[in-house]
Amino acid sequence: MTTHTPADLPDAASERPARYLRVLSIAGSDSGGGAGIQADLKTFSALGCYGMTAIAAITAQNTCGVRAIHGIPAEMLKAQIDAVVQDIGVDAVKIGMLASPETVRVVADAIRQYQLPHVVLDPVMVATSGDRLIATETSDALVRELFPLVELVTPNLDEAGWLLGQRIEGIEALEGAARQLLALGAPAVLLKGGHLSGDWVVDLLAEREAPSLRLESARIVTHNGHGTGCTLSSAIAAELAGGATLPQAVTSARAYILGAIAAGADVRTGSGHGPLNHGYAPRVQKVIRPPLSR
């Protein structure tokens, strides 16, 4: 057994304590474990961050679909956010499924009150199985209340089409659709083109004050795509927490999710759309040790 003398231990008087990179997920719970809060926590851990949660909804679901949704009362969601932020603190935030306009307002109020940094909004509206998850008035509230407050919005084509009231067909339509989403108030949009057909997947990062960044990769053939959107937005938040620029965060997060899809492509979990392999390449926990004050 190794013993430590006082000389081996950090001197509290001369060294400030270290802390983890802290990422908060405000989202719904997926009882099947492949998406939502569960996928977020797995992603944060895989990318070396300390994950925290404020659960906005509970779902009864598995790889075949969503059976039931129960929204958490707005006051309980607020209590969860307050408890985490006031004690532990936050370096980045991922927002997923919000079940009602009231919960949207709670989250918007929290972002303003606490000046929460690096907020990534994944406007979850439709599950991988095709199940509709939120009502129209809630998606309207997302645009009105949250788009102007976040750093990035990450819709897939179905979600973007719902928000814009139009179908988005073909890679050539991504730029125009992304610019329309920016016009709704978002400062930056990652429009995910994975639902388009073809051997290549093309995503587009559009920012108001920068040229668009087009990201391409060969399509990975698999039935295990449940939770890809949740995982990607969580990975982006984790990278932003560590100080990456937005293009760097998106590029790194996309590389992580491609690896997770490939590592889980042939694994059988349930009888429907299975999950990714979130822990395929775990990393060392990232710790920040602030410099000594002078």
Side-chain angles (χ1 to χ4, degrees):
M1 181 176 69
T2 301
T3 59
H4 295 279
T5 66
D8 298 323
L9 301 176
D11 183 353
S14 61
E15 187 173 3
R16 297 177 63 186
R19 66 168 178 82
Y20 300 122
L21 288 176
R22 308 153 300 179
V23 189
L24 170 63
S25 171
I26 306 172
S29 169
D30 173 7
S31 55
I37 290 284
Q38 287 80 355
D40 297 344
L41 288 176
K42 293 172 187 177
T43 302
F44 298 154
S45 293
L47 297 182
C49 295
Y50 180 79
M52 304 162 290
T53 64
I55 299 176
I58 300 171
T59 67
Q61 65 175 296
N62 52 31
T63 63
C64 297
V66 179
R67 298 185 177 184
I69 300 174
H70 174 70
I72 298 298
E75 61 270 20
M76 183 59 190
L77 177 60
K78 180 181 186 303
Q80 294 176 79
I81 297 171
D82 290 344
V84 168
V85 177
Q86 292 172 4
D87 175 40
I88 302 171
V90 171
D91 295 305
V93 180
K94 176 265 174 76
I95 302 172
M97 177 185 171
L98 299 177
S100 69
E102 292 75 23
T103 56
V104 172
R105 283 190 286 273
V106 162
V107 175
D109 289 344
I111 293 172
R112 286 188 288 260
Q113 177 183 353
Y114 296 113
Q115 295 295 293
L116 297 179
H118 300 309
V119 181
V120 178
L121 170 62
D122 186 24
V124 178
M125 300 177 185
V126 182
T128 303
S129 60
D131 294 293
R132 177 78 185 177
L133 298 176
I134 65 173
T136 301
E137 57 266 26
T138 304
S139 59
D140 291 343
L142 283 176
V143 173
R144 184 177 62 255
E145 301 280 351
L146 288 178
F147 270 38
L149 298 178
V150 304
E151 185 168 344
L152 177 69
V153 180
T154 63
N156 61 33
L157 293 185
D158 292 338
E159 292 156 348
W162 183 270
L163 290 169
L164 297 176
Q166 65 188 53
R167 290 181 61 84
I168 303 169
E169 299 178 341
I171 294 173
E172 65 281 354
L174 294 179
E175 177 75 30
R179 294 295 162 183
Q180 290 182 64
L181 291 168
L182 292 177
L184 293 179
V189 172
L190 177 64
L191 185 53
K192 300 173 292 188
H195 289 180
L196 295 174
S197 60
D199 296 331
W200 288 82
V201 175
V202 177
D203 301 326
L204 189 77
L205 174 63
E207 300 179 75
R208 289 181 186 172
E209 305 299 331
S212 296
L213 174 63
R214 179 165 158 164
L215 303 110
E216 303 181 21
S217 57
R219 186 179 300 277
I220 300 170
V221 180
T222 178
H223 205 54
N224 298 330
H226 183 52
T228 52
C230 300
T231 300
L232 179 59
S233 56
S234 298
I236 294 170
E239 296 291 346
L240 290 172
T245 65
L246 187 56
Q248 289 170 344
V250 169
T251 302
S252 296
R254 199 173 183 276
Y256 164 72
I257 196 172
L258 289 172
I261 293 171
D266 298 325
V267 179
R268 190 67 176 176
T269 306
S271 55
H273 295 280
L276 319 181
N277 184 346
H278 293 91
Y280 82 99
R283 303 181 187 178
V284 177
Q285 194 84 30
K286 296 176 183 176
V287 175
I288 295 176
R289 191 177 299 278
L292 295 176
S293 58
R294 297 185 182 275

